[in-house]
């Protein structure tokens, strides 16, 4: 089965204190993602102070892979708050491969 490129957009969020730590941690998460998959774009948003003197920062990251397994690994390793499959509209999956990933 020929593997298609899968383009996804994820949102990575970091919450904590102090603000410098939150921004540094988000940068580290983005760097680790770049080591794992092809990152097409990163839109990093300014950190904001929450009511409880904690800070929140997030980034929208578009990435590309040819493996559903890699997408699942990203979900487990990086726990994005949102994931959107941009392309293709339908993804054929081998049932043995899916069973292996879920096990």
């Amino acid at each position: 089965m020929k593997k298609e490129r899968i383009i996804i957009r994820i949102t990575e969020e970091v919450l904590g204190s102090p603000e410098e730590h939150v921004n540094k941690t988000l940068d580290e998460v983005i760097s680790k993602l770049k080591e794992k998959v092809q990152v097409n774009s990163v839109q990093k948003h300014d950190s904001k102070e929450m009511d409880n003197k904690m800070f929140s920062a997030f980034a929208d990251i578009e990435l590309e892979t040819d493996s559903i397994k890699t997408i699942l690994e990203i979900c487990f390793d990086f726990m994005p708050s949102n994931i959107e499959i941009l392309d293709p509209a339908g993804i054929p999956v081998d049932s043995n491969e899916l069973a292996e990933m879920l096990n």
Side-chain angles (χ1 to χ4, degrees):
M1 179 181 299
K2 181 182 177 246
K3 292 193 175 195
E4 290 186 55
R5 297 302 291 170
I6 304 168
I7 301 172
I8 64 172
R9 181 183 306 126
I10 63 172
T11 302
E12 282 295 331
E13 294 182 85
V14 177
L15 176 68
S17 184
E19 183 175 18
E20 297 78 25
H21 175 70
V22 169
N23 291 321
K24 180 181 174 193
T25 301
L26 183 57
D27 288 338
E28 289 173 358
V29 167
I30 293 167
S31 292
K32 288 181 181 181
L33 271 167
K34 287 180 177 179
E35 292 172 8
K36 189 168 190 70
V37 293
Q38 177 182 328
V39 173
N40 294 340
S41 67
V42 175
Q43 184 177 11
K44 197 171 155 192
H45 302 273
D46 294 333
S47 57
K48 295 193 176 171
E49 187 171 5
M50 309 307 282
D51 293 338
N52 54 2
K53 298 189 182 188
M54 301 284 275
F55 292 87
S56 174
F58 73 96
D60 294 310
I61 305 162
E62 183 179 296
L63 40 98
E64 205 171 314
T65 182
D66 64 357
S67 168
I68 293 175
K69 183 177 179 185
T70 301
I71 294 171
L72 289 174
E73 288 171 355
I74 288 169
C75 290
F76 287 121
D77 294 345
F78 295 93
M79 299 184 68
S81 59
N82 186 52
I83 183 167
E84 178 182 5
I85 298 174
L86 302 175
D87 194 58
I91 301 172
V93 180
D94 178 87
S95 61
N96 290 329
E97 182 182 9
L98 180 60
E100 180 184 330
M101 288 184 286
L102 295 173
N103 283 317

